[in-house]
């Protein structure tokens, strides 16, 4: 372990702000794109379900009109 | 079906519709910012990366870039509503048209103007503008971009019916932008000399108030001319 | 000639392929990312000159490499899509573009954050940083072009053409920026050269590069699945899969 | 009142002048014997205009479009729009962006307004275009309702309306060069 204490680790030899800014923003962007992609998957699945419900509504309306 | 009049309901309806449309087509929000960034990047490539020179020219570069990207977003302001007939419904609605126009221009500013103001400190790093002039630039942009939207909306209203309205609109609107540009850049210059620049800001603020009150009337009569 | 490639032209087979590959990519990403970051941040020795600020190299260099890598693989997919009319390759182009843009943005931010302690300025018009910025514009160009089209098939083809045009211009941009930079050599300070790295820093860097590559692979697979589903939404196999899944 | 005449006789431009979108070269349009140029807001209170352009935004869904129209005309929007949309034959298409709908369906989204307004004067420019048999009958029934409630309709159409509306007045415009 290069650093004696956790505080030194955070201080990063005085450059802590820059190191943690870059690692933090990197993690943020990586998580951002990952989460947004997974959300897209959920959104597409729900839109397929919604389409199925729409067809239900149309079928039901046709049956009512049929009687 | 009784009709009750709440001006706030109309304002919020038009405002939220435009915002919803903008968020549905992300391009409407992203394109002006991207254009703003690319115009700012061109200058160092054109005049060389020497930090001192860039820092001195930065406020002017940022203002011209903001002015052009506001212009970019203007012709879309009334175009869709004109072509699909919503504009006619807005005119024939029981609410006064200037109020609707006020809501549309406010929505346009939030979509194109506000992101520019928020991104300016970040993009200013490209021109390593970090002195007090940066604060002045952001403040003048905060007052200036709504002003640009209101004045530009007059041009947009006049040219919405024409086919090649885009270029014509910038010819109409650019001369009207010159006083805004002059007062904004003079505010930034005085700030870079560490002097008080609240005078210029006050003038910009006064212009903005006049624009908020007068421009919608001019815009709605321009729209009525374009629709007829 | 490419016999083994043909079955994957059909959407559901391609979807299954992504599904089977995804777990492996995900595992490699998680493992390498954790090992790489911990190793780079905590255990790798400090640089004698820049002390600990050099640790940003462990994400700056991989993201810079990946930004170029993602763009070229996007361009390759574009060529496949246009030449062999493989629709799934077109979807791959759209899947890679946002991930590439994010990795390029990371390279820019980490480059700026690393530049500040070294040169005292957040942004230096150094040749590599400038080409990286232009690369970001190319990515965003492909993305906004794709989203501007109503009909997604035309959008895909247009995005492929732009991607290929972009990749042809990449070397030209790189050399012109390099030349532009030397033209104003007086203005900028030292270049961004990473000296020969001794093994104790080299290995954590390699692990990070693999981690980033696996990450780009994982997210691209997820997005490719999304694009396939988006295009095949009204097909029966999507609905059956949904009922089962 | 039906405005008849061959294509290009000026039917639409006359409608637009009466609706206040265009300025007449001479003369004036009066509403309750007050010029609409000066008192346009009162006139707009009791006016409903549906022209060639449907006034429906293609990115929004049918529900959002109708809700928006209700808001800009001061009607309350809490009412459930699904039955009305179903009545006009848009079942299952309520939450689909309007650009996915056919021209006829888009016109139906515009025509839903006829069931949601309290305007006295309706100005309709060829309301029956792109409507199928059931749509035309449905619309004519709504016209009868509106007329019985004391409303007025000024429309242009190539449909023969005399069978349905016995007291229909027709003004024919000749095509003058």
């Amino acid at each position: 372990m290069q650093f004696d204490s956790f505080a030194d680790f955070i201080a990063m030899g005085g450059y802590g702000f820059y190191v943690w800014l870059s690692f933090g923003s990197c993690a943020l962007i990586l998580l951002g794109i990952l989460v947004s992609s997974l959300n897209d998957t959920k959104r597409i699945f729900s839109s397929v379900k919604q389409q199925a419900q729409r067809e239900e509504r149309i079928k039901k309306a046709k049956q009512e009109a049929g009687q | 079906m009784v009709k009750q009049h709440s001006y706030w309901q109309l304002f919020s309806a038009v405002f939220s519709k435009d915002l919803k449309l903008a968020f549905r087509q992300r391009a409407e929000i992203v394109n002006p910012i991207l254009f703003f960034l690319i115009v700012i990047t061109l200058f160092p490539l054109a005049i060389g990366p020497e930090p001192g020179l860039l820092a001195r020219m930065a406020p002017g570069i940022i203002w011209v870039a903001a002015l052009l990207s506001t212009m970019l977003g203007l012709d879309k302001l009334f175009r869709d509503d004109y072509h699909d007939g919503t504009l006619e419904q807005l005119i024939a609605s029981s609410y006064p048209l200037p109020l609707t126009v006020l809501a549309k221009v406010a929505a346009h500013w939030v979509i194109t103007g506000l992101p520019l103001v928020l991104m300016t400190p970040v993009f200013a790093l490209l021109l390593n503008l970090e002195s007090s002039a940066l604060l002045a630039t952001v403040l003048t942009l905060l007052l200036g971009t709504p002003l640009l939207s209101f004045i530009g909306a007059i041009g947009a209203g006049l040219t919405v019916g024409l086919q090649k309205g885009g270029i014509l609109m910038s010819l109409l609107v650019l001369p009207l932008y010159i006083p805004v540009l002059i007062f904004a850049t003079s505010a930034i210059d005085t700030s870079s000399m560490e002097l008080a620049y609240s005078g210029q800001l006050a003038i910009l603020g006064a212009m903005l108030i006049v624009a908020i009150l007068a421009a919608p009337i001019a815009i709605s009569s321009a729209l009525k001319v374009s629709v007829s | 000639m490419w016999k083994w490639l043909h079955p994957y032209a059909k959407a559901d087979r391609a979807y299954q392929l992504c599904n089977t590959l995804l777990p492996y990519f995900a595992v490699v990403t998680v493992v390498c990312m954790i090992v790489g970051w911990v190793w780079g941040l905590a255990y790798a020795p400090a640089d004698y000159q820049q002390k600990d600020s050099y640790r940003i190299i462990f994400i700056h260099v991989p993201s810079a490499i990946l930004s170029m890598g993602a763009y070229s693989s996007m361009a390759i997919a574009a060529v496949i899509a246009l030449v062999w009319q493989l629709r799934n390759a077109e979807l791959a182009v759209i899947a890679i573009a946002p991930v590439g843009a994010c990795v390029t943005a990371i390279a820019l931010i980490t480059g700026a954050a690393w530049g500040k302690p070294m040169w005292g300025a957040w942004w230096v018009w150094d040749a590599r940083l400038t080409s990286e910025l232009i690369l970001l514009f190319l990515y965003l160009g492909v993305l906004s072009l794709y989203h501007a089209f109503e009909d997604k098939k035309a959008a895909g083809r247009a995005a492929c053409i732009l991607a290929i045009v972009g990749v042809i211009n990449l070397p030209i941009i790189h050399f012109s920026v390099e030349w532009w930079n030397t033209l104003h050599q007086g203005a900028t300070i030292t270049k961004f050269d990473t000296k020969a790295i001794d093994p104790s820093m080299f290995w954590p860097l390699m692990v990070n590069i693999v981690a980033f590559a696996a990450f780009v692979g994982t997210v691209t697979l997820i997005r490719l699945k999304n694009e396939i589903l988006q295009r095949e939404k009204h097909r029966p196999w999507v609905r059956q899969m949904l009922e089962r899944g | 009142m039906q405005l008849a005449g061959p294509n290009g006789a000026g039917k639409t431009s006359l409608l637009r002048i009466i609706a206040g979108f265009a300025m007449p070269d001479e003369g004036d349009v009066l509403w309750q014997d007050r010029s609409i140029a000066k008192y346009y807001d009162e006139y707009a209170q009791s006016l409903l205009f549906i022209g060639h352009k449907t006034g429906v935004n293609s990115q929004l869904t049918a529900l959002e479009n109708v809700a928006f129209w209700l808001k800009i005309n001061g009607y309350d929007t809490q009412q459930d729009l699904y039955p009305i949309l179903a009545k006009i034959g848009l079942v299952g298409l309520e939450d689909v962006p309007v650009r996915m709908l056919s021209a006829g369906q888009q016109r139906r989204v515009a025509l839903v307004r006829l069931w949601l307004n309290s305007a006295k004067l309706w100005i309709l420019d060829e309301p029956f275009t792109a409507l199928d048999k059931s749509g035309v009958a449905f619309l004519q029934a709504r016209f009868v309702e509106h007329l019985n409630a004391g409303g007025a309709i000024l429309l242009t159409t190539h449909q023969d309306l005399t069978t349905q509306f016995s007291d229909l007045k027709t003004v024919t415009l000749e095509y003058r060069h």
Side-chain angles (χ1 to χ4, degrees):
Chain A
M1 175 67 173
Q2 282 297 321
F3 301 92
D4 327 332
S5 73
F6 188 68
D8 288 354
F9 177 69
I10 294 297
M12 215 32 104
Y15 296 107
F17 170 69
Y18 304 110
V19 172
W20 295 118
L21 170 73
S22 26
F23 274 81
S25 59
C26 170
L28 203 66
I29 293 176
L30 295 185
L31 280 179
I33 184 85
L34 184 66
V35 163
S36 109
S37 307
L38 295 174
N39 271 343
D40 284 352
T41 315
K42 235 189 268 113
R43 182 176 48 79
I44 292 172
F45 281 161
S46 68
S47 79
V48 170
K49 283 202 186 68
Q50 215 183 17
Q51 182 61 27
Q53 280 153 12
R54 271 195 211 111
E55 271 142 25
E56 274 336 301
R57 275 209 303 267
I58 294 176
K59 231 186 274 121
K60 199 155 52 60
K62 276 213 176 55
Q63 274 141 15
E64 271 146 30
Q67 277 114 20
Chain B
M1 291 303 293
V2 72
K3 270 197 180 180
Q4 359 79 328
H5 270 263
S6 97
Y7 290 119
W8 171 248
Q9 191 193 21
L10 173 86
F11 186 91
S12 66
V14 175
F15 190 83
S16 53
K17 172 198 167 213
D18 275 10
L19 283 191
K20 190 191 296 179
L21 280 177
F23 278 104
R24 240 164 236 191
Q25 292 157 325
R26 284 286 158 54
E28 258 177 60
I29 301 173
V30 171
N31 283 356
I33 301 174
L34 247 180
F35 181 80
F36 186 55
L37 176 61
I38 291 177
V39 169
I40 288 178
T41 322
L42 290 182
F43 280 90
L45 295 175
I47 50 175
E50 201 275 323
L53 175 67
L54 278 185
R56 260 199 318 286
M57 291 180 58
I61 295 173
I62 288 178
W63 249 94
V64 167
L67 197 136
L68 293 178
S69 42
T70 310
M71 186 91 66
L72 186 81
L74 272 177
D75 65 326
K76 286 198 299 300
L77 187 56
F78 298 115
R79 192 163 38 99
D80 292 342
D81 285 348
Y82 176 81
H83 288 302
D84 63 29
T86 317
L87 201 51
E88 283 166 0
Q89 293 303 324
L90 287 171
I91 293 174
S93 89
S94 41
Y95 284 100
L97 189 58
L99 182 63
T100 323
V101 162
L102 187 70
K104 280 195 82 65
V105 177
H108 172 266
W109 177 69
V110 167
I111 296 165
T112 45
L114 199 54
L116 297 192
V117 175
L118 299 179
M119 296 304 284
T120 302
V122 177
F123 294 160
L125 295 179
L126 290 180
L127 307 168
N128 41 53
L129 166 70
E130 279 169 57
S131 65
S132 64
L134 174 61
L135 177 64
T137 312
V138 172
L139 281 178
T140 47
L141 275 175
L142 195 59
L143 283 173
T145 39
L147 202 50
L148 298 181
S149 289
F150 272 107
I151 299 172
I154 300 175
L158 288 169
T159 58
V160 70
L162 311 172
Q163 258 65 35
K164 295 183 291 309
I167 313 289
L168 178 64
M169 184 188 63
S170 19
L171 295 183
L172 306 182
V173 163
L174 272 177
L176 307 176
Y177 278 173
I178 288 170
V180 183
L181 192 62
I182 288 169
F183 279 107
T185 31
S186 84
I188 299 167
D189 292 345
T190 41
S191 80
S192 57
M193 291 177 276
E194 309 304 336
L195 300 170
Y197 52 93
S198 49
Q200 286 89 342
L201 283 190
I203 293 174
L204 275 178
M207 278 190 194
L208 179 57
I209 293 165
V210 167
I212 290 178
L213 297 177
I217 296 154
I219 297 165
S220 46
S221 46
L223 286 176
K224 283 200 171 114
V225 165
S226 304
V227 162
S228 68
Chain C
M1 182 256 292
W2 291 83
K3 268 292 153 286
W4 60 274
L5 192 63
H6 286 311
Y8 297 120
K10 280 213 303 309
D12 48 359
R13 286 300 305 274
Y15 187 84
Q16 308 309 357
L17 176 69
C18 297
N19 251 345
T20 42
L21 286 179
L22 196 51
Y24 300 105
F25 271 85
V27 164
V28 169
T29 311
V30 170
V31 166
C32 293
M33 200 65 100
I34 293 171
V35 167
W37 280 32
V38 167
W39 191 351
L41 275 173
Y43 291 95
D47 181 72
Y48 63 93
Q49 225 181 5
Q50 302 167 19
K51 294 195 200 55
D52 288 306
S53 75
Y54 97 101
R55 291 184 191 285
I56 299 176
I57 190 176
F58 292 118
I59 44 174
H60 176 65
V61 170
S63 51
I65 292 170
L66 257 300
S67 63
M68 300 292 282
Y71 199 94
S72 25
S73 47
M74 185 169 79
I76 292 165
V79 166
I80 294 173
L82 290 185
V83 168
W84 284 293
Q85 297 301 334
L86 252 176
R87 223 159 39 75
N88 291 336
E90 209 176 277
L91 300 184
V93 169
I94 310 302
I96 297 172
V99 190
C102 286
V103 168
T104 318
I106 293 172
L108 285 170
I109 296 170
T110 48
W114 196 8
K116 178 71 179 168
M118 261 204 311
W119 298 317
W122 280 101
W123 181 262
V124 168
W125 289 95
D126 164 76
R128 253 175 296 208
L129 278 180
T130 313
S131 341
E132 197 74 36
L133 184 62
I134 298 170
L135 183 62
L136 180 66
F137 292 152
L138 293 181
Y139 272 116
L140 296 177
V142 169
L143 278 173
S144 30
L145 178 67
Y146 179 72
H147 289 297
F149 278 82
E150 286 290 331
D151 137 39
K152 285 309 163 203
K153 286 190 189 55
R157 218 159 303 114
C160 288
I161 294 166
L162 186 61
I164 294 171
V165 165
V167 84
I168 296 167
N169 279 313
L170 263 187
I172 302 167
I173 292 171
H174 189 71
F175 288 121
S176 48
V177 167
E178 199 78 32
W179 179 77
W180 165 78
N181 192 273
T182 50
L183 192 68
H184 300 277
Q185 193 47 51
T188 53
I189 312 142
T190 54
K191 271 182 65 181
F192 224 160
D193 50 11
T194 46
K195 304 169 287 307
I197 297 182
D198 61 62
S200 69
M201 296 179 195
F202 177 77
W203 286 111
L205 186 56
M206 279 306 122
V207 170
N208 271 304
I209 290 174
V210 168
F212 268 74
F215 179 88
V216 167
T218 316
V219 178
T220 306
L221 282 176
I222 298 173
R223 295 192 74 86
L224 187 54
K225 275 170 57 184
N226 291 349
E227 291 297 332
I228 293 174
L229 278 182
Q230 185 71 32
R231 283 275 179 91
E232 310 277 315
K233 228 166 27 173
H234 29 73
R235 285 277 165 61
W237 69 270
V238 173
R239 208 160 282 180
Q240 286 138 12
M241 191 201 55
L242 215 94
E243 267 106 33
R244 274 203 321 277
Chain D
M1 159 85 82
Q2 180 189 359
L3 212 54
N7 289 15
K11 300 197 295 293
T12 301
S13 12
L14 179 57
L15 274 193
R16 290 176 69 85
I17 290 174
I18 295 171
F21 293 142
M23 299 300 290
D25 298 342
E26 340 118 28
D28 206 351
V29 178
L30 304 183
W31 169 252
Q32 288 160 353
D33 53 49
R34 277 198 308 194
S35 152
I36 66 166
K38 282 194 271 319
Y39 301 94
Y40 191 74
D41 281 346
E42 280 85 22
Y43 176 52
Q45 300 284 355
S46 39
L47 167 70
L48 171 72
F49 176 83
I50 299 182
H52 281 302
K53 299 187 201 152
T54 53
V56 163
N57 185 302
S58 58
Q59 300 299 336
L60 299 176
T61 67
L63 277 175
E64 286 161 345
N65 269 303
V66 174
F68 177 68
W69 187 84
L70 288 173
K71 280 207 198 101
I72 61 171
N73 282 292
Y75 298 114
D76 85 45
T77 52
Q78 266 56 39
Q79 49 191 326
D80 171 18
L81 297 175
Y82 273 83
I84 300 170
L85 286 172
K87 220 166 27 171
I88 191 135
L90 289 170
V91 170
L93 304 170
E94 299 91 347
D95 49 7
V96 167
V98 167
R99 67 176 187 281
M100 312 275 204
L101 304 182
S102 73
Q105 286 161 337
Q106 288 189 18
R107 278 208 75 77
R108 285 167 186 256
V109 176
L111 292 173
V112 166
R113 298 173 191 148
L114 299 179
W115 280 265
L116 296 167
N117 76 86
S118 62
K120 280 202 279 301
L121 169 64
W122 287 0
I123 299 184
L124 310 171
D125 200 342
E126 300 197 9
F128 300 110
T129 47
L131 281 188
D132 51 28
K133 268 275 160 302
S134 65
V136 171
F138 201 64
L139 209 52
Q140 285 175 347
R142 176 66 186 139
F143 285 172
V144 172
E145 251 173 65
H146 179 67
L147 292 175
N148 299 344
I153 301 178
L154 171 64
L155 62 95
T156 63
T157 179
H158 296 296
Q159 298 257 355
D160 169 16
L161 294 178
T162 46
T163 51
Q164 281 287 26
F165 305 91
S166 49
D167 55 0
L168 174 75
K169 286 186 282 304
T170 315
V171 169
T172 359
L173 302 177
E174 294 85 26
Y175 181 73
R176 271 185 292 102
H177 301 294

